[in-house]
Amino acid sequence: MAKPISLALVGHTNAGKTSLLRTLTRRADFGEVSNRPGTTRQVDALALRVDGRDALRFLDTPGLEDAPALLDYVQQMDAGLSHEQRLQAFLRGPAAKDEFEQEAKVLRCLLEADAALLVIDTRELPLPKFASEIELLMLCARPLMPVLNFVRHAEAQEPAWRRLLASHGLHACLQFDAVAPFVGAEQHLYADLGALLPQRREALNKVAEHLLREASARRAASLQVLAELLLSLAAYRQPVSKASLADAGQKAACVAAFQAQILARSRAAQNQLLGLHGFGLGSAEAAELPALSGRWESELFNPEVLKTAGKQLGAGAAIGGALGLGLDVALAGLSLGAAATVGAALGGVASQGFGAVGRSLSQKLRGIVELSLEDQALLLLAAQGLTLLQALERRGHAALEVLQVKVELAFSAEQAAALLAAFGVARAHPDWAAASPLPPSVAARWAQQVAAVVDGLGP
């Protein structure tokens, strides 16, 4: 069995080595990421598994802190020694355990690796000390792939860095952003490594193919989560007596309970999406997602946002019978299928199907109405869910900043019609509200249709 390919991540302190490794392995819990310099002090290893075995072994090294002084130290050794001999003499000597301890850890690791990723923070000016780092690393005679990190930053100095690298014979380099990775950046990385390590090219191609399969499976699972959320919410009913609605306090409590149930289900789906994409619920970046902080939650029950959503999301005044029938504003701006039912049973005819209307009329005769989520809110939830999915697919696992997400999607008329048709079917199946996962046959078919519509809005 072939040994795992060993890749050392090297570079100046605080260049983003651990950040890059988190993103490449989708491990938000690996190591420590901080804006403080010198966070990594030891060599840490992390494996990437393919088909049940370790295919890659990443080695996260400490940052180089004083390469110019070490380079001078090595160059002043016996002139009769080769570069490799000088390097070995340094590693055996006292300086490797004293003033150059960090650099010695990096060099030992690099000598044991198949190749190295030289991680460069392009926000830094390419000062002479960085040229010394490149020269020092090249003494190890290992294939070196420069990775230009943080290239999206306004202060990135990418052209200057490319000139410095070219002056040392390093013409091939990779653009990357550990916080917001480029689409396809991983495939480019492993393809370029295959050129550096031709004898391991086949294994690296398998890694790239494995990552593509994982991404496809992750997206399919995420779309299924969104589809089942939307269908279960369309099916959800909360019976309420008309007597309760006649009392302002009881009415507010009923609406609050309904809203809390909707938000709890939405939040559970958001948590599932976070888990599918490797973001732990207890991590800083996950805890700060606006989707979990209340901003989207307040929008969902904002009547003005719902009216805007009805136009923005492609169906105009046709969606949501409650708006055309006079929404009961006293229901805290919540778009409810039962808003029309409270005053008259007409609201369910357009959006809930005959079976649901029959049930509503039967309950109305017994003094009971049903609160349900209207189409505007469901379409807004669909747009929010896809926006979050897109953001997670583009977010690196080392991001420390708050993820800023804004819903700017618009459904085509065909997409809106397909979603509304699926919601209409779900409204006729209140049992779908409690089922997780949804039952097979027709429920699964509609879940696939919702997923296909949402997927059609993807990047």
Side-chain angles (χ1 to χ4, degrees), residues 312-315 379-380 382-383 386 409-413 415-416 419 453-454 457:
Q312 177 185 340
L313 298 178
L379 287 174
L380 182 58
L386 181 60
L409 298 169
F411 295 116
S412 68
Q415 290 166 334
L419 286 173
V453 172
V454 175
L457 296 171

Side-chain angles (χ1 to χ4, degrees), residues 231-233 235-237 261 265 429-439:
L231 291 175
S232 68
L233 291 182
Y236 181 65
R237 299 284 186 273
Q261 181 63 226
R265 291 173 179 234
H429 293 272
D431 54 304
W432 290 8
S436 181
L438 290 174

Side-chain angles (χ1 to χ4, degrees), residues 16-194:
K17 296 181 293 298
T18 303
S19 299
L20 176 62
L21 188 48
R22 282 187 173 191
T23 298
L24 290 176
T25 60
R26 289 177 175 80
R27 282 280 303 277
D29 60 342
F30 176 76
E32 180 181 355
V33 171
S34 170
N35 292 322
R36 295 180 290 103
T39 303
T40 301
R41 307 302 294 179
Q42 303 293 330
V43 175
D44 293 321
L46 184 62
L48 183 64
R49 297 179 67 81
V50 175
D51 297 330
R53 68 178 188 85
D54 293 352
L56 289 175
R57 185 169 180 264
F58 292 105
L59 301 170
D60 188 20
T61 68
L64 296 168
E65 296 177 340
D66 199 358
L70 177 54
L71 188 62
D72 288 341
Y73 179 89
V74 172
Q75 290 174 340
Q76 290 172 12
M77 288 182 175
D78 187 347
L81 298 176
S82 66
H83 290 318
E84 183 180 354
Q85 289 171 330
R86 292 183 188 186
L87 192 60
Q88 292 295 341
F90 156 68
L91 292 173
R92 290 192 301 267
K97 300 178 182 178
D98 191 6
E99 64 264 38
F100 299 122
E101 180 184 10
Q102 291 298 100
E103 284 74 14
K105 293 175 183 176
V106 176
L107 296 175
R108 286 195 185 96
C109 182
L110 181 51
L111 286 170
E112 296 174 359
D114 294 307
L117 302 179
L118 171 56
V119 185
I120 295 169
D121 184 350
T122 57
R123 299 171 298 183
E124 296 268 5
L125 288 171
L127 302 174
K129 65 178 180 180
F130 297 118
S132 297
E133 291 180 357
I134 295 172
E135 292 178 37
L136 184 64
L137 293 169
M138 293 181 76
L139 292 177
C140 295
R142 290 293 185 274
L144 201 60
M145 171 61 67
V147 179
L148 302 177
N149 201 9
F150 304 116
V151 292
R152 282 196 175 104
H153 196 276
E155 298 177 5
Q157 308 289 323
E158 184 179 348
W161 275 104
R162 286 185 178 273
R163 288 193 294 271
L164 174 62
L165 293 168
S167 70
H168 288 80
L170 298 172
H171 298 278
C173 54
L174 182 73
Q175 283 186 323
F176 210 92
D177 196 310
V179 173
F182 295 97
V183 175
E186 286 178 303
Q187 273 61 46
H188 289 304
L189 171 63
Y190 294 116
D192 290 347
L193 283 173

Side-chain angles (χ1 to χ4, degrees), residues 12 19 44 54 59 80 103 137 154 165 188 195-196 216 223 225 243 254 261 274 326 349-350 355 407 410 433 450 459:
H12 193 71
S19 299
D44 293 321
D54 293 352
L59 301 170
E103 284 74 14
L137 293 169
L165 293 168
H188 289 304
L196 285 182
S216 177
L223 294 174
V225 167
C254 291
Q261 181 63 226
L274 288 170
V349 174
V407 178
V450 173

